[in-house]
């Protein structure tokens, strides 16, 4: 693009020869050339434009122009397995921001009235896990702990007259899905040959900028990845709330994003359990064949091992789900009726004291029975011990088996310390609220409930609020 002065000087002779009998088409062409030169010059100095109070809107140029997304400007030859550079992505999204702001294409939920948030009075929690590993159930347990009413989709969700959204809100909480930061839609990933787990298919620059803005108390216009049809939809407005939770594949992969988190959790589902869960879901609910399930798991495994699993080394807490040791499955394809779950708690985390059983720092295995518990098969067994977990000192609480009723839960609760509960019995009551949800009577629900109570405790300690 020619500099402004050059465009003007080149146009001057033409202007002098035609000013008496102007050709309006030529005048329009001159005006357009000068305008584009000035616009490009200003853009190069400012690095793009911000509109109103929003952080960058994530959208591809295709979405901004025609309302749908396609491949993000990939080279056309020789590099089918690569995506555009971060610089190109940022420019595309700045351009998308300008076009969206001009058209007003940002979804807003008029029922959400968020008061201005003091950045010192909010916490940002990260939850990492593979798909189908229980994040949704955990989110219900986590938001329910704060006791501020039902958690609903932003805008009411598509079925409620709103839009297809991955964001859940309540009076105090906002849960954001990091799938919304995928670079390409489903069709675009077929062209690149990359899975959504690959770091190159996710915009960590935008993720960092927008989460930073939320932590500063600013409102953002966040992109939406539509899981139903695989497209990138019109962005939605997100205002900061006291408890911001981001869940997905990569909340801790990028060190800049991980550095913004006040507390992080990794849901570590072993391959054997993940296989059993996918059999239960995909064979029973989707009609998949067993071989198709195996192929799907194997296809994702290399990228999962490379981009998702390493995050557990960064997490403050890991909930590890394994086959039961006291009632193991019959064979490799049988249902996973009973589970052994470990709550791995790093001891160096700010505002956090690990939960322990009976005596802090001890090592013990405990199978309560006798008059206090029914001891129906397989019963329940707890363990507590310290270990070095991926180079970090940790305390581990372990549960194997099931808790059958309120009496059993209360008995176990008597021997647990630092649970984060407000009163005796709260842990059991919160667990039983979702006893019909996955993990309601076993270690997944038990440890998720404990994690939720501890997050509430962290929030109160970090912000000084109750």
């Amino acid at each position: 693009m020619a500099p402004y002065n050059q465009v003007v000087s080149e146009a001057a002779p033409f202007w002098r020869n035609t000013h008496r009998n102007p050709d309006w088409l030529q005048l329009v062409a001159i005006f357009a050339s000068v305008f584009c030169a000035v616009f490009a010059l200003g853009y190069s100095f400012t690095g793009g434009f911000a509109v109103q109070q929003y952080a960058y809107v994530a959208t591809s140029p295709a979405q901004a122009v025609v309302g749908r997304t396609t491949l993000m400007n990939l080279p056309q030859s020789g590099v089918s397995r690569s995506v555009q550079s971060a610089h190109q992505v940022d420019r595309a999204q700045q351009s998308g921001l300008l076009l969206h702001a001009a058209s007003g294409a940002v979804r807003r939920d008029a029922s959400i009235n968020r008061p201005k948030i003091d950045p010192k009075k909010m916490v940002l929690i990260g939850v990492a896990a593979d798909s189908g590993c229980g994040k949704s159930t955990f989110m219900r347990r986590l938001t329910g702990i704060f006791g501020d009413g039902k958690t609903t989709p932003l805008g009411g969700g598509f079925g409620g007259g709103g839009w297809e959204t991955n964001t859940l809100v309540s009076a105090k909480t906002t849960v954001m899905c990091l799938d919304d930061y995928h670079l390409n839609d489903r069709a675009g990933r077929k062209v690149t040959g990359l899975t959504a787990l690959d770091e190159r298919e996710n915009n960590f620059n935008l993720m960092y900028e927008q989460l930073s803005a939320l932590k500063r108390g600013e409102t953002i216009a966040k992109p939406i990845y539509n899981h139903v049809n695989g497209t990138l939809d019109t962005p939605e407005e997100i205002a900061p709330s006291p408890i911001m939770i981001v869940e997905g594949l990569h909340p801790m992969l990028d060190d800049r994003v991980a550095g913004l988190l006040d507390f992080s959790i990794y849901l570590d589902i072993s391959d054997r359990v993940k296989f059993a869960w996918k059999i239960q879901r995909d064979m029973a609910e989707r009609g998949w064949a067993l071989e198709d399930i195996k192929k799907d798991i194997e296809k994702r495994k290399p990228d999962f091992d490379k981009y998702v699993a390493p995050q557990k080394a960064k997490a403050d807490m890991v909930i590890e789900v394994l086959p039961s040791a006291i009632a193991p499955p019959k064979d490799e394809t049988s249902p996973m009726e009973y589970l052994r779950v470990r709550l791995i708690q790093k001891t160096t985390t700010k505002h956090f004291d690990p939960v322990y059983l009976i005596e802090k720092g001890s090592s013990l295995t405990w199978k309560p029975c006798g008059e206090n518990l029914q001891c129906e098969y397989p019963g329940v067994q707890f363990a507590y011990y310290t270990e070095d977990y991926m180079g970090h000192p940790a305390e581990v609480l372990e549960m194997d088996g099931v808790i059958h009723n309120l009496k059993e839960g209360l008995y176990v609760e008597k021997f647990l310390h630092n649970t984060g509960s407000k009163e005796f019995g709260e842990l059991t009551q919160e667990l039983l609220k979702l006893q019909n949800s996955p993990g309601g009577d076993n270690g997944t629900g038990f440890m998720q409930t404990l994690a939720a109570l501890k997050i509430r405790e962290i929030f109160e300690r970090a912000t000084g609020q109750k």
Side-chain angles (χ1 to χ4, degrees), residues 53-55 106-119 121-124 152 154-155 163 165 167-176 181 210-223 235-246:
Q53 75 275 33
Y54 296 122
V106 176
R107 301 182 187 273
R108 296 178 177 88
D109 188 341
S111 66
I112 300 295
N113 183 21
R114 296 284 195 209
K116 188 172 179 60
I117 298 294
D118 180 351
K121 300 295 184 181
M122 67 176 293
V123 295
L124 180 62
T152 60
L154 189 69
W163 55 90
T165 181
T167 305
L168 300 175
V169 293
S170 68
K172 291 183 179 178
T173 63
T174 300
V175 180
M176 291 168 47
Y181 292 96
Q210 292 203 331
L211 294 184
S212 296
L214 286 169
K215 290 209 75 171
R216 293 192 299 267
E218 300 171 11
T219 298
I220 65 171
K222 181 187 61 58
E236 60 188 3
E237 181 179 275
I238 304 291
S241 60
I243 299 97
M244 299 293 304
I245 304 165
V246 292

Side-chain angles (χ1 to χ4, degrees), residues 397-464:
L397 178 67
E398 182 179 308
M399 174 180 167
D400 194 340
V402 295
I403 291 178
H404 293 95
N405 54 46
L406 178 63
K407 182 180 178 181
E408 292 183 0
L410 291 174
Y411 182 73
V412 169
E413 194 171 341
K414 287 197 302 183
F415 296 91
L416 290 173
H417 304 272
N418 282 347
T419 62
S421 59
K422 299 285 188 181
E423 58 186 9
F424 174 70
E426 185 183 17
L427 169 61
T428 303
Q429 291 173 6
E430 291 294 334
L431 176 64
L432 295 180
K433 281 181 182 179
L434 292 174
Q435 66 183 116
N436 295 324
S437 298
D441 64 348
N442 65 41
T444 57
F446 191 86
M447 298 307 182
Q448 287 178 7
T449 303
L450 270 176
L453 289 170
K454 296 301 288 184
I455 287 174
R456 183 182 65 185
E457 181 180 73
I458 290 167
F459 168 74
E460 294 179 351
R461 289 181 176 181
T463 65

